[in-house]
Amino acid sequence: FNDAMHVRTRVFIDEQHCSPEGEIDSDDPRSWQWVMYDSPASESTPTSSSTSSSRTPIAVIRLVPPPHPPHALLTHPTSSPPPYDWIHEPYIKLTRVAVLPSHRGLGLGRRLVETALTWAAAHAGEIDGAVGRVAQESKSQGEGEVEVRPWRGLVLVHAQVDVERMYEGLGFVRDEELGRWEEEGIMHVGMFRRVEVL
């Protein structure tokens, strides 16, 4: 997590001027994160003993399991919808995709997305388990019983408009109903893709 935050801080806070308060959120404890490292060439052989202290984190992606807050919280922040959307089909959300400037243009963002999606397709049971824990917490907080439906491979990304084409190249399609909205001063669009659950 510290290595992920190193990349996220450099890209989102230092470079894109997002607020530090918004960078760590309630999704972090329930999410999976992948960190890509740049290891010195002498340590890249399988027989060498490299440790995380000798590697530099250069890219990160976060996968947030369902459920998610209703989209209206982004487009109409003054509204007061329920904390989670239990009505629509469950989807995972790819977030906090970041590559340090020194390593951009190498296809690392694409590789991280593919890695996270491959993992998700093979671990639907873990994703469903995470949904069940949130449903149990919601029930214990007096929000009532909710229908927990299994994840069937739907994936959402809130893409910064500048990288929309990368996601199109990965098979994501913009959902026009979600529209365009601003997060931390950056325009975003919602894009969906479905993966085959193994």
Short mmCIF file of all heavy atoms in Angstrom, two decimals, residues 6-31:
data_model
loop_
_atom_site.label_atom_id
_atom_site.label_comp_id
_atom_site.label_asym_id
_atom_site.label_seq_id
_atom_site.Cartn_x
_atom_site.Cartn_y
_atom_site.Cartn_z
N HIS A 6 2.92 5.93 -2.93
CA HIS A 6 4.05 6.71 -3.45
C HIS A 6 3.72 7.17 -4.89
O HIS A 6 3.88 8.34 -5.23
CB HIS A 6 5.33 5.87 -3.43
CG HIS A 6 6.47 6.48 -4.18
ND1 HIS A 6 7.23 7.50 -3.65
CD2 HIS A 6 6.96 6.24 -5.42
CE1 HIS A 6 8.15 7.86 -4.54
NE2 HIS A 6 8.01 7.11 -5.62
N VAL A 7 3.26 6.22 -5.71
CA VAL A 7 2.93 6.56 -7.11
C VAL A 7 1.70 7.45 -7.16
O VAL A 7 1.68 8.46 -7.88
CB VAL A 7 2.72 5.27 -7.94
CG1 VAL A 7 2.28 5.62 -9.36
CG2 VAL A 7 3.98 4.42 -7.96
N ARG A 8 0.67 7.10 -6.42
CA ARG A 8 -0.57 7.88 -6.45
C ARG A 8 -0.34 9.32 -6.00
O ARG A 8 -0.88 10.26 -6.59
CB ARG A 8 -1.62 7.20 -5.57
CG ARG A 8 -2.20 5.95 -6.21
CD ARG A 8 -3.01 5.09 -5.26
NE ARG A 8 -4.03 5.82 -4.52
CZ ARG A 8 -4.87 5.24 -3.68
NH1 ARG A 8 -4.81 3.92 -3.48
NH2 ARG A 8 -5.77 5.95 -3.04
N THR A 9 0.49 9.50 -4.98
CA THR A 9 0.78 10.86 -4.50
C THR A 9 1.51 11.66 -5.56
O THR A 9 1.16 12.81 -5.84
CB THR A 9 1.61 10.80 -3.21
OG1 THR A 9 0.84 10.13 -2.20
CG2 THR A 9 1.99 12.19 -2.72
N ARG A 10 2.53 11.06 -6.17
CA ARG A 10 3.31 11.78 -7.18
C ARG A 10 2.45 12.17 -8.38
O ARG A 10 2.58 13.27 -8.89
CB ARG A 10 4.49 10.93 -7.64
CG ARG A 10 5.50 10.69 -6.55
CD ARG A 10 6.94 11.00 -6.80
NE ARG A 10 7.39 11.35 -8.10
CZ ARG A 10 8.31 10.67 -8.78
NH1 ARG A 10 8.84 9.58 -8.28
NH2 ARG A 10 8.72 11.11 -9.94
N VAL A 11 1.57 11.25 -8.82
CA VAL A 11 0.79 11.52 -10.03
C VAL A 11 -0.43 12.39 -9.72
O VAL A 11 -0.64 13.43 -10.34
CB VAL A 11 0.37 10.21 -10.72
CG1 VAL A 11 -0.62 10.48 -11.86
CG2 VAL A 11 1.60 9.48 -11.25
N PHE A 12 -1.25 11.97 -8.75
CA PHE A 12 -2.53 12.65 -8.55
C PHE A 12 -2.41 13.93 -7.71
O PHE A 12 -3.06 14.92 -8.02
CB PHE A 12 -3.55 11.70 -7.92
CG PHE A 12 -3.87 10.53 -8.81
CD1 PHE A 12 -3.63 9.25 -8.40
CD2 PHE A 12 -4.40 10.73 -10.08
CE1 PHE A 12 -3.92 8.16 -9.22
CE2 PHE A 12 -4.69 9.66 -10.91
CZ PHE A 12 -4.44 8.38 -10.48
N ILE A 13 -1.58 13.92 -6.69
CA ILE A 13 -1.47 15.10 -5.83
C ILE A 13 -0.43 16.08 -6.37
O ILE A 13 -0.73 17.25 -6.62
CB ILE A 13 -1.16 14.70 -4.38
CG1 ILE A 13 -2.31 13.84 -3.82
CG2 ILE A 13 -0.92 15.94 -3.52
CD1 ILE A 13 -2.05 13.26 -2.46
N ASP A 14 0.80 15.60 -6.59
CA ASP A 14 1.87 16.50 -7.03
C ASP A 14 1.68 16.98 -8.47
O ASP A 14 1.81 18.17 -8.75
CB ASP A 14 3.23 15.80 -6.91
CG ASP A 14 3.59 15.44 -5.48
OD1 ASP A 14 2.94 15.97 -4.54
OD2 ASP A 14 4.49 14.61 -5.29
N GLU A 15 1.37 16.06 -9.37
CA GLU A 15 1.30 16.42 -10.80
C GLU A 15 -0.06 16.97 -11.21
O GLU A 15 -0.15 18.00 -11.88
CB GLU A 15 1.63 15.19 -11.64
CG GLU A 15 1.62 15.44 -13.13
CD GLU A 15 1.86 14.17 -13.94
OE1 GLU A 15 2.30 13.14 -13.38
OE2 GLU A 15 1.59 14.22 -15.16
N GLN A 16 -1.15 16.30 -10.78
CA GLN A 16 -2.49 16.71 -11.24
C GLN A 16 -3.20 17.61 -10.23
O GLN A 16 -4.32 18.05 -10.48
CB GLN A 16 -3.34 15.46 -11.54
CG GLN A 16 -2.76 14.65 -12.67
CD GLN A 16 -3.65 13.47 -13.06
OE1 GLN A 16 -4.68 13.21 -12.46
NE2 GLN A 16 -3.23 12.74 -14.08
N HIS A 17 -2.57 17.88 -9.11
CA HIS A 17 -3.08 18.82 -8.10
C HIS A 17 -4.43 18.41 -7.50
O HIS A 17 -5.26 19.26 -7.18
CB HIS A 17 -3.15 20.24 -8.67
CG HIS A 17 -1.86 20.67 -9.29
ND1 HIS A 17 -0.73 20.89 -8.56
CD2 HIS A 17 -1.53 20.90 -10.59
CE1 HIS A 17 0.27 21.24 -9.37
NE2 HIS A 17 -0.20 21.25 -10.60
N CYS A 18 -4.64 17.10 -7.35
CA CYS A 18 -5.83 16.62 -6.65
C CYS A 18 -5.61 16.81 -5.15
O CYS A 18 -4.47 16.90 -4.68
CB CYS A 18 -6.06 15.14 -6.95
SG CYS A 18 -6.40 14.81 -8.70
N SER A 19 -6.68 16.86 -4.40
CA SER A 19 -6.56 17.12 -2.97
C SER A 19 -6.03 15.89 -2.23
O SER A 19 -6.44 14.76 -2.52
CB SER A 19 -7.92 17.51 -2.38
OG SER A 19 -8.79 16.41 -2.42
N PRO A 20 -5.12 16.08 -1.28
CA PRO A 20 -4.63 14.94 -0.48
C PRO A 20 -5.76 14.25 0.28
O PRO A 20 -5.74 13.04 0.45
CB PRO A 20 -3.63 15.59 0.49
CG PRO A 20 -3.24 16.88 -0.14
CD PRO A 20 -4.43 17.32 -0.94
N GLU A 21 -6.76 15.02 0.71
CA GLU A 21 -7.87 14.45 1.47
C GLU A 21 -8.68 13.47 0.62
O GLU A 21 -9.25 12.51 1.14
CB GLU A 21 -8.82 15.54 1.97
CG GLU A 21 -8.16 16.58 2.84
CD GLU A 21 -7.38 17.63 2.05
OE1 GLU A 21 -7.73 17.94 0.89
OE2 GLU A 21 -6.40 18.15 2.61
N GLY A 22 -8.75 13.70 -0.68
CA GLY A 22 -9.54 12.84 -1.54
C GLY A 22 -8.79 11.63 -2.08
O GLY A 22 -9.39 10.74 -2.65
N GLU A 23 -7.48 11.60 -1.88
CA GLU A 23 -6.70 10.52 -2.47
C GLU A 23 -6.88 9.19 -1.73
O GLU A 23 -7.01 8.15 -2.34
CB GLU A 23 -5.22 10.90 -2.54
CG GLU A 23 -4.36 9.87 -3.24
CD GLU A 23 -4.90 9.46 -4.60
OE1 GLU A 23 -5.44 10.30 -5.35
OE2 GLU A 23 -4.80 8.27 -4.92
N ILE A 24 -6.85 9.21 -0.43
CA ILE A 24 -7.14 8.00 0.34
C ILE A 24 -8.61 8.05 0.71
O ILE A 24 -9.08 9.03 1.29
CB ILE A 24 -6.27 7.91 1.61
CG1 ILE A 24 -4.80 7.81 1.23
CG2 ILE A 24 -6.68 6.70 2.44
CD1 ILE A 24 -3.86 7.73 2.41
N ASP A 25 -9.35 7.01 0.34
CA ASP A 25 -10.78 7.03 0.60
C ASP A 25 -11.25 5.72 1.22
O ASP A 25 -10.44 4.83 1.48
CB ASP A 25 -11.56 7.35 -0.69
CG ASP A 25 -11.31 6.33 -1.79
OD1 ASP A 25 -10.92 5.18 -1.49
OD2 ASP A 25 -11.52 6.67 -2.96
N SER A 26 -12.53 5.62 1.45
CA SER A 26 -13.08 4.44 2.11
C SER A 26 -13.00 3.18 1.24
O SER A 26 -13.22 2.08 1.73
CB SER A 26 -14.53 4.70 2.53
OG SER A 26 -15.31 5.00 1.39
N ASP A 27 -12.69 3.33 -0.04
CA ASP A 27 -12.54 2.16 -0.90
C ASP A 27 -11.18 1.48 -0.72
O ASP A 27 -11.04 0.30 -1.03
CB ASP A 27 -12.70 2.55 -2.38
CG ASP A 27 -14.15 2.78 -2.77
OD1 ASP A 27 -15.04 2.20 -2.13
OD2 ASP A 27 -14.38 3.54 -3.72
N ASP A 28 -10.17 2.20 -0.24
CA ASP A 28 -8.84 1.61 -0.12
C ASP A 28 -8.81 0.33 0.73
O ASP A 28 -8.23 -0.66 0.31
CB ASP A 28 -7.83 2.63 0.41
CG ASP A 28 -7.23 3.46 -0.71
OD1 ASP A 28 -6.91 2.89 -1.77
OD2 ASP A 28 -7.06 4.67 -0.52
N PRO A 29 -9.44 0.31 1.92
CA PRO A 29 -9.34 -0.91 2.73
C PRO A 29 -10.00 -2.14 2.11
O PRO A 29 -9.65 -3.26 2.43
CB PRO A 29 -10.05 -0.54 4.03
CG PRO A 29 -10.09 0.94 4.06
CD PRO A 29 -10.11 1.39 2.63
N ARG A 30 -10.95 -1.94 1.19
CA ARG A 30 -11.66 -3.09 0.63
C ARG A 30 -11.26 -3.40 -0.81
O ARG A 30 -11.89 -4.20 -1.48
CB ARG A 30 -13.18 -2.86 0.72
CG ARG A 30 -13.73 -1.75 -0.16
CD ARG A 30 -15.20 -1.48 0.12
NE ARG A 30 -15.82 -0.71 -0.95
CZ ARG A 30 -16.58 -1.23 -1.90
NH1 ARG A 30 -16.82 -2.51 -1.92
NH2 ARG A 30 -17.11 -0.45 -2.82
N SER A 31 -10.19 -2.78 -1.28
CA SER A 31 -9.77 -2.92 -2.68
C SER A 31 -8.51 -3.76 -2.81
O SER A 31 -7.80 -4.00 -1.84
CB SER A 31 -9.50 -1.54 -3.28
OG SER A 31 -10.66 -0.76 -3.27
#
